[in-house]
Amino acid sequence: MEPTPLPNPPKPDLENADVRHLRLLRTIRRITWAALVVVILIGAAGLFVLPNLRPYGPYGTRLVSERPAYDFSLVGNDNKPYKLSDFRGKAVYIFFGFVNCPDVCPTTLSELKKVYQALNPAEQSKVQVLLITADPERDTPEVLEKYVRFFHPKFLGLTGTSEQIAETAKGFGVFYIKSNIKSATEYNVDHTATTFLIDPSGKLRLLYGNGKPAQIGRMLEDLRWVLGR
Amino acid sequence: MKTIKLFLLLLALALGLPSLAQPAAGVRLLEGWVRLTPPTLKNTTAYMVLSNPTGRALRLTGGSTEVAGMVMPMTDYRETRDGAEIQGMREVRFLEIPAGGRLELKPGGKHLMLMGLKRPLREGEQVTLTLRFEGGATARLTLSVQNR
């Protein structure tokens, strides 16, 4: 006698449920993957775009309100007259110092020399370094010529009458006074040792306190930023 | 011990390091240089790091060198005038190296001034200085002239 066949379980229904379940899972998996890819792509794009959107934070000190730098009229170590506005189109570093200054001035000028030498020739043609004397009595164009050329032949030393230098210093908020006076020709000059960076349109943009220009890399970033705007 | 000292001295010389030939005051020169200045200048500066391994403070009061008239201890000086900071330097009686500590003479800070250069210095030239300390002790050291 044959055994009575077992009644069929509701197989088609069960299969349908399994298939539907699997399809749903597959769809969920696909959506998850797609979402993950989109998130990764947006993230990657953000990495490239965001730094360009974020404003550049310069190393130098910014002025509360940007203003045109004082347009001086002085005489160069080549005996030619110079105004700041003659340097439109160039970024200009200005440092006040004096020739008989054995510590602070050569340190800053050496730092600016390193910055200048790190530029390519095209960039160098858009940058001018100026030393304005805080000692106009001793620093004639001839004295400045020998001094400034020692640091870089493209650097320019500027002098003038005592009144012209006083006006220029005032225009930049620089103060200077003789110290250690031993005779009419032997003395030191205490002076503001800030380096000023003026942009190609003649605006005073950044200030560097004494010692700060030693960070050549950061100085270059600032300089390229000022040149690029 | 003597042979070790001699060996170290020779090693320092061989490596071109500034050396203390006669550390009578007990100071050690860790590093140092003399600034190359434009040939028209009559003064320059010497920078160095000195350590004092002895148990008492040493006071550097100045010194002498064949290339200049005077060696003077200087310190940087800052004050604010009319809202602007001004900077300069002042002659001081001495610069102190604390017991077991060090004295850093560096650009923009404390330094030695070589006043009245008798001739322009050359880059790479070795300049011998005799440092003088309070109480009469001295130390001879040699520094190279550098365009930094």
Side-chain angles (χ1 to χ4, degrees), chain A residues 99-100 102-104 106-107 110 113-114 146-147 150-151 173 175 177 179-180 182 188-193 210, chain B residues 35-41 45 47 77 81-82 84-90 107-109 111 113 115 147-148:
Chain A
V99 166
N100 281 288
D103 181 47
V104 171
T107 301
S110 297
K113 178 180 84 175
K114 284 175 197 151
K146 288 177 187 130
Y147 185 75
F150 169 82
F151 292 98
F175 195 88
I177 187 166
S179 68
N180 258 8
K182 293 194 172 121
N188 273 328
V189 182
D190 294 348
H191 59 91
T192 305
N210 185 246
Chain B
R35 185 187 287 288
L36 179 75
T37 51
T40 47
L41 291 199
T45 46
Y47 304 107
Y77 172 82
R81 288 266 190 134
D82 289 356
E85 191 186 59
I86 58 170
Q87 206 171 326
M89 53 183 192
R90 295 290 183 270
H111 56 271
M113 272 265 277
M115 302 276 292
N147 187 9
R148 283 206 201 171

Side-chain angles (χ1 to χ4, degrees), chain A residues 69-70 72 84 94 96 132 168-174 196 198 204:
Chain A
Y70 177 77
F72 53 74
L84 177 63
I94 293 181
F96 287 78
I132 299 180
T168 306
K170 200 175 147 204
F172 282 88
V174 162
F196 301 89
I198 289 119
L204 180 52

Side-chain angles (χ1 to χ4, degrees), chain A residues 180 182, chain B residues 70 72-75 89-94:
Chain A
N180 258 8
K182 293 194 172 121
Chain B
M70 267 193 288
M72 289 190 338
M74 308 289 292
T75 186
M89 53 183 192
R90 295 290 183 270
E91 192 182 337
V92 286
R93 260 191 336 108
F94 60 84

Side-chain angles (χ1 to χ4, degrees), chain A residues 161-223:
Chain A
T161 64
S162 296
E163 292 74 26
Q164 285 172 322
I165 292 296
E167 277 301 305
T168 306
K170 200 175 147 204
F172 282 88
V174 162
F175 195 88
Y176 59 97
I177 187 166
K178 285 181 189 175
S179 68
N180 258 8
I181 303 169
K182 293 194 172 121
S183 73
T185 55
E186 288 171 291
Y187 53 85
N188 273 328
V189 182
D190 294 348
H191 59 91
T192 305
T194 302
T195 300
F196 301 89
L197 179 56
I198 289 119
D199 75 9
S201 73
K203 273 198 196 114
L204 180 52
R205 291 284 291 280
L206 296 173
L207 311 180
Y208 301 93
N210 185 246
K212 271 192 114 180
Q215 299 289 327
I216 310 300
R218 309 279 332 256
M219 293 293 285
L220 284 168
E221 279 176 21
D222 276 9
L223 183 58

Side-chain angles (χ1 to χ4, degrees), chain B residues 93-111:
Chain B
R93 260 191 336 108
F94 60 84
L95 296 167
E96 190 163 288
I97 324 176
R102 55 169 66 181
L103 172 69
E104 286 192 29
L105 306 182
K106 57 174 197 262
K110 294 167 186 164
H111 56 271

